[in-house]
Amino acid sequence: MSKIKPSKGAPYARIMGVGGYRPTRVVPNEVILETIDSSDEWIRSRSGIVTRHWASDEETVAMMSVEAAGKAIADAGITPEQVGGVIVSTVSHFKQTPAVATEIADRIGANKPAAFDISAGCAGFGYALTLAKGMVVEGSSEYVLVIGVERLSDLTDLEDRATAFLFGDGAGAVVVGPATEPAIGPTVWGSEGDKSDTIKQTIPWSDYRDSEVARFPAITQEGQAVFRWAVFEMAKVAQQALDAAGITADDLDVFIPHQANMRIIDSMVKTLKLPEHVTVARDIETTGNTSAASIPLAMERLLATGQAKSGDTALVIGFGAGLVYAATVVTLP
């Protein structure tokens, strides 16, 4: 018989607060058209994007995260000292080590929390949320700060017609804490590594280091392959998340998919047969694709504008490079 004592965590976990940060510079499609042969109408029709935010030199991954985290902590009604874990999902923090989560934890005034980064692309928020839920229920941390943050403008090839218009910068954060009833459902997550070449960094950092002619690494993708995968396969994953939570589309109040492409979002809504009463996040129009930050940023905007309200039932799903995905049903803070 094991001598290990059982953990003393909460019976359930919930999202308690949300915060976001968008860089001050707003970049319209006209700026993108300076370096690619396209049109504003083509960009809008292909992606739904009208503007996006690009960070200044001062708006670092850490700075944007600290701003978003402060809002989420205040919204949750806790103090920074109560934060026992900090999980940051990002692919655009250029220091391999130490984890940017440790710097963020120090700057927000947390008291020696567990702090680490994860790399799960556009599904990173869902991965981090699942880890945070486990930490709260297991009892290792009472409150966990989850941050999705990207400076994808640093990894954008402005001459790549397929991707130059897609990416934006920003940070979104949530605080996960104890609950007395289920408020974060089972996560349906996974990967399809045989398709990893469809979204990737152009060259490894080592190739850039060792070459005198190599261009700085950027993100590239096979647009049509990604579109087909997202539309057909991710709708199935979203339905599995609804089934795992024991609800149907009729029970939903809000749908918050990764803000990858407006056509993907609209196709998923149609495939899932979401009722007209379901509010659908379409933050991509003015924010662009911010990868790991897109879901919490969209969540924050829906709540701030009154399009969604506290207590609403929301389906969230992220999907991207890897190819990886994660979907779950949550109660909004």
Side-chain angles (χ1 to χ4, degrees), residues 15-274:
I15 298 175
M16 300 178 59
V18 61
Y21 181 85
R22 291 173 172 82
T24 55
R25 182 188 179 192
V26 177
V27 179
N29 288 338
E30 286 72 19
V31 172
I32 307 299
L33 297 175
E34 294 174 2
T35 52
I36 61 171
D37 180 18
S38 187
S39 68
D40 177 62
E41 190 279 332
W42 186 88
I43 294 174
R44 293 184 187 220
S45 65
R46 298 288 291 183
S47 68
I49 299 172
V50 178
T51 60
R52 74 285 290 147
H53 295 256
W54 283 355
S56 66
D57 290 343
E58 292 75 26
E59 291 169 317
T60 64
V61 165
M63 177 270 185
M64 293 190 293
S65 296
V66 169
E67 292 293 320
K71 295 175 183 177
I73 291 169
D75 192 44
I78 66 171
T79 65
E81 292 82 6
Q82 291 176 280
V83 173
V86 178
I87 308 174
V88 177
S89 177
T90 185
V91 298
S92 49
H93 175 57
F94 288 166
K95 287 185 179 180
Q96 194 72 35
T97 191
V100 72
T102 58
E103 177 185 348
I104 295 165
D106 177 63
R107 289 176 59 174
I108 65 172
N111 183 26
K112 299 180 180 179
F116 57 96
D117 300 349
I118 65 169
S119 176
C122 304
F125 176 76
Y127 273 58
L129 182 66
T130 303
L131 295 173
K133 171 187 173 183
M135 292 165 70
V136 171
V137 173
E138 186 270 340
S140 62
S141 299
E142 185 175 12
Y143 302 103
V144 180
L145 178 66
V146 171
I147 300 170
V149 58
E150 301 292 2
R151 273 182 52 123
L152 293 181
S153 58
D154 291 335
L155 289 169
T156 299
D157 181 353
L158 294 178
E159 297 179 2
D160 180 359
R161 190 172 183 270
T163 61
F165 59 90
L166 281 176
F167 301 121
D169 303 335
V174 301
V175 172
V176 177
T180 56
E181 59 183 12
I184 301 175
T187 300
V188 177
W189 56 355
S191 64
E192 297 185 33
D194 60 316
K195 301 178 181 66
S196 60
D197 279 349
T198 55
I199 307 174
K200 63 182 181 181
Q201 185 171 304
T202 49
I203 59 172
W205 296 111
S206 56
D207 285 4
Y208 179 71
R209 178 196 63 193
D210 298 336
S211 172
E212 295 181 358
V213 296
R215 300 182 67 175
F216 193 78
I219 296 174
T220 186
Q221 69 175 29
E222 298 175 14
Q224 287 301 314
V226 173
F227 181 86
R228 289 192 297 269
W229 176 77
V231 168
F232 295 109
E233 297 303 320
M234 291 306 97
K236 298 176 186 177
V237 172
Q239 183 60 56
Q240 291 170 14
L242 291 175
D243 296 341
I247 66 172
T248 68
D250 290 335
D251 298 315
L252 280 179
D253 300 303
V254 185
F255 178 45
I256 311 177
H258 164 49
Q259 303 295 292
N261 181 299
M262 193 75 80
R263 292 193 303 152
I264 291 175
I265 294 171
D266 291 340
S267 295
M268 291 181 70
V269 169
K270 183 177 180 180
T271 302
L272 288 167
K273 299 179 180 179
L274 296 184

